[in-house]
Amino acid sequence: MDRENQTEQPLSNAAPTPRRVSAKRAPADPQNHRTVDRVTQILEEVVYRPGMTFAELVRALGAAKSSVHGFIRGLLAKGWLYEDQHRFYLGPAVYGLTLASGHIRAGSVTHQDLVALHEETGLAVFLGVQAGDHLIYIAEAGSDPVAGFEARSNIRRTLLSTAGGKALLAAKSPSERELYLRRRPREEAELVDVFLGELDGITKAQVAKNLNPARMRCGLATAVRSRAGDVVASVTVVGPIAEMEPRFAALSAALVKHASAWARLSTIPREVI
């Protein structure tokens, strides 16, 4: 056939080039992460076997001692674990999350105990514990929208910026208190000075006071002790300063009275957590 007599097919009639169809990406499946797995396993072991020793945790995890030690020190520093006589228990930070989610942790101080203080004072009541260098609220009763929102939106608070934290700090031994104050960063220097100026008064009255930055609301707090006399928590009443100021003496007396009564009760938890 003569090439010159051939007619070219128009481009428009050419066979279309097949398009590449991109497959939709399936959502990524959850994947294990070695560090997260280790931390989770440590917490779960302690939840189901409270009072585990370091050696028992190492055996349960099947990991190197140095690795487990690092994880445990980090969890202790943030309050996720608590150590007593070389045994490990779930720390107070966990209960701060339960308060933030709207649930209440019960124990040797029950919800009914907090309600009784709320009914006598007519104020919001918060139970707090120290986790690392911070105060964490773990239970509440009678909180109004403002106090409840503040407690849930700011789980960790420096001891020096709360009445409950000041009460805990004042109840420490002089050496423990000095170590804590020495660790404070520069930006807390003014808070340290204010606390040292208040320390004698807190010690004598057994009650600490703190105003919020706007100086519209006030907290009064006292330390909560176990039957053995160890400081285990602080209890704080919170409300408008205009309402509380004329009642400082009566409110302080109520705080000390209730906390003293709790110290005489059994330390065995009376409610399921």
Side-chain angles (χ1 to χ4, degrees), residues 172-190:
K172 290 182 179 294
S173 68
S175 58
E176 287 180 310
R177 187 164 54 243
E178 185 176 350
L179 283 174
Y180 179 87
L181 295 176
R182 282 183 177 179
R183 292 198 302 271
R184 296 306 87 218
R186 287 183 181 179
E187 53 267 28
E188 290 186 24
E190 185 177 347

Side-chain angles (χ1 to χ4, degrees), residues 21-102:
V21 180
S22 58
K24 287 185 179 179
R25 278 189 187 175
D29 293 330
Q31 293 183 346
N32 291 334
H33 189 284
R34 189 174 180 181
T35 301
V36 175
D37 289 349
R38 290 286 190 221
V39 170
T40 303
Q41 189 177 358
I42 290 171
L43 293 174
E44 289 177 347
E45 291 288 343
V46 171
V47 166
Y48 291 108
R49 296 176 59 198
M52 292 184 76
T53 64
F54 176 73
E56 288 170 338
L57 279 169
V58 170
R59 283 196 297 271
L61 270 68
K65 289 182 180 180
S66 58
S67 174
V68 177
H69 183 268
F71 286 128
I72 288 176
R73 300 323 298 177
L75 290 167
L76 287 169
K78 287 298 185 181
W80 297 105
L81 286 182
Y82 169 74
E83 184 178 9
D84 183 34
Q85 298 182 1
H86 306 296
R87 293 183 176 274
F88 298 99
Y89 304 86
L90 203 60
V94 176
Y95 304 116
L97 294 182
T98 65
L99 175 60
S101 67

Side-chain angles (χ1 to χ4, degrees), residues 160 180-182 184-185 188-198:
L160 294 168
Y180 179 87
L181 295 176
R182 282 183 177 179
R184 296 306 87 218
E188 290 186 24
E190 185 177 347
L191 292 175
V192 171
D193 290 341
V194 170
F195 171 75
L196 290 174
E198 297 172 344

